[in-house]
Amino acid sequence: MDITDTLGSINIGYDPSCRYAAPYFFIIGFMPFLSGVKPNRKGMNLYMKKITVITNQKGGVGKTTTTCSMAGGLSMRGYKVLAIDLDPQGNLSFSVGAETDDSPTVYEVMKGQVPIRDAIQQTKTCDILPSNILLSGAELEFNRPGREHILKEAMGDIADEYDYVFIDTPPALSILTVNAYTVANSIIIPMVPEILSLQGISQLKETIDTVRKYYNHSLTIEGILLTKYNNRTNLTRDVEDLAKIVARQLNTSVLNAKIRTSVSVAEAPAHCESVLTFAPHAAAAKDYKSLIDELLKRGEPNGTKEQ
Ligand code: ADP
Ligand code: MG
């Protein structure tokens, strides 16, 4: 007796003529697993890559804003999200209202002094592993062999408890950045549409290629994200064309969502909120929502890009 016979015999309204359909239902039920898309604990499908690093060695390009907005935006949609602040300046920690003076931070976690669960704080925006200025000694202090894997080791299996993890990085191609690349599945590169922002892309590519070669073969670049965008200026349009060329060199693309300039973006951190909750109607908040839609969609089985 197989399962279809059992269902037929206990008469729960099951039509035995459908018995040959059972294997198809079985396959359809497992389609998400077969396509690499996994439902989370609440049964929501996880279409995006799990651990994403927001990176660019230039400062002021919107890394922290993007991390906070992506993490906050996905939390608002019911996903469980962890943000990791790997910048000693601690801007992300401040932006979500984390306590960093008397609480353990990512520094103590990477030093092996505190388990990661003891350093994670819950905030209105998302869970955060905060950072503070102590982390600025990382380059000198984290000098043992295998130092590229310190964050990965310290994270252990914590990522399994989250739907998505975002890592904000410092404006440098330092050991901290390499640690982020080593543990991540994908990278987003925010860039402002200014000619100078294209400088330094070759060093970024070199660092990513090196990490791919030695520490993390499956690291992918999700795309270049244009921030502080104003499509009314010719300069922005010219730089956008250049950004497309750069994207091709990096074997990726410029993301369709472009983040427009909004005053509210600078105001939100003072209120310990992402721009999505602080000013949901601001242009930048709408653009970050489009970015989340785009990234969720492109991972879908029939989206623009396979996982
Ligand atoms: P990074 O982390 O790359 O240094 P930030 O996210 O801290 O960059 O952004 C740098 C500055 O630019 C901050 O003052 C931030 O408020 C501002 N900013 C970022 N994105 C926008 C935007 N879309 N509109 C207006 N200001 C922005
Ligand atoms: Mg920053």
Side-chain angles (χ1 to χ4, degrees):
M1 183 185 276
D2 66 12
I3 188 150
T4 52
D5 291 325
T6 313
L7 289 171
S9 66
I10 58 176
N11 193 14
I12 50 168
Y14 167 78
D15 175 0
S17 66
C18 290
R19 58 183 297 164
Y20 298 111
Y24 298 104
F25 289 136
F26 184 78
I27 290 170
I28 288 166
F30 275 84
M31 281 280 271
F33 293 100
L34 298 175
S35 65
V37 176
K38 299 186 188 72
N40 67 358
R41 276 164 265 86
K42 291 184 190 162
M44 299 159 89
N45 284 337
L46 299 182
Y47 288 123
M48 267 170 57
K49 301 265 169 38
K50 184 153 192 154
I51 306 180
T52 304
V53 184
I54 316 295
T55 187
N56 187 330
Q57 76 271 39
K58 291 203 178 289
V61 297
K63 290 184 290 296
T64 302
T65 305
T66 301
T67 311
C68 187
S69 304
M70 293 287 300
L74 283 160
S75 288
M76 284 165 71
R77 295 184 190 202
Y79 292 102
K80 190 156 188 252
V81 185
L82 172 68
I84 298 179
D85 190 353
L86 263 197
D87 184 351
Q89 295 176 80
N91 290 350
L92 178 66
S93 309
F94 177 86
S95 301
V96 299
E99 205 291 311
T100 57
D101 289 337
D102 300 313
S103 305
T105 63
V106 65
Y107 173 76
E108 283 85 0
V109 172
M110 289 179 77
K111 291 279 278 185
Q113 296 165 350
V114 171
I116 189 163
R117 279 184 186 76
D118 293 356
I120 290 175
Q121 299 178 28
Q122 272 101 44
T123 74
K124 278 187 291 180
T125 307
C126 60
D127 283 7
I128 173 110
L129 176 59
S131 128
N132 66 16
I133 197 67
L134 286 174
L135 196 59
S136 57
E139 203 69 45
L140 294 173
E141 286 186 55
F142 300 152
N143 54 10
R144 65 170 170 85
R147 66 200 207 121
E148 299 80 8
H149 298 271
I150 295 175
L151 180 65
K152 189 172 181 175
E153 285 165 9
M155 278 176 69
D157 53 8
I158 196 84
D160 294 344
E161 295 173 24
Y162 290 91
D163 298 324
Y164 296 111
V165 179
F166 291 94
I167 308 178
D168 188 21
T169 50
L173 293 171
S174 63
I175 189 62
L176 292 170
T177 318
V178 169
N179 265 267
Y181 294 177
T182 301
V183 75
N185 308 117
S186 73
I187 283 177
I188 292 175
I189 304 170
M191 199 181 263
V192 289
E194 289 166 7
I195 199 77
L196 291 180
S197 72
L198 299 169
Q199 257 190 334
I201 288 293
S202 55
Q203 290 105 296
L204 183 64
K205 181 177 181 338
E206 237 169 69
T207 310
I208 294 169
D209 287 346
T210 305
V211 172
R212 260 201 208 120
K213 186 167 172 196
Y214 295 107
Y215 314 119
N216 184 0
H217 302 307
S218 57
L219 183 64
T220 59
I221 305 179
E222 206 63 58
I224 290 178
L225 174 69
L226 292 175
T227 61
K228 302 188 187 177
Y229 185 80
N230 178 357
N231 67 355
R232 277 168 297 187
T233 68
N234 288 336
L235 179 64
T236 296
R237 280 198 293 274
D238 289 349
V239 176
E240 194 176 340
D241 289 342
L242 279 172
K244 284 182 189 155
I245 295 168
V246 170
R248 264 198 298 271
Q249 283 170 8
L250 291 168
N251 236 338
T252 187
S253 54
V254 177
L255 291 158
N256 291 332
K258 320 263 187 293
I259 313 299
R260 285 166 288 175
T261 302
S262 293
V263 186
S264 318
V265 170
E267 293 168 350
H271 299 264
C272 304
E273 283 186 55
S274 84
V275 68
L276 279 78
T277 50
F278 177 70
H281 301 295
K286 290 181 187 159
D287 296 340
Y288 275 119
K289 282 180 215 151
S290 307
L291 173 65
I292 291 172
D293 288 338
E294 179 179 349
L295 293 175
L296 288 172
K297 196 152 195 268
R298 71 168 31 189
E300 282 178 23
N302 55 357
T304 55
K305 189 176 143 193
E306 284 296 310
Q307 282 273 73

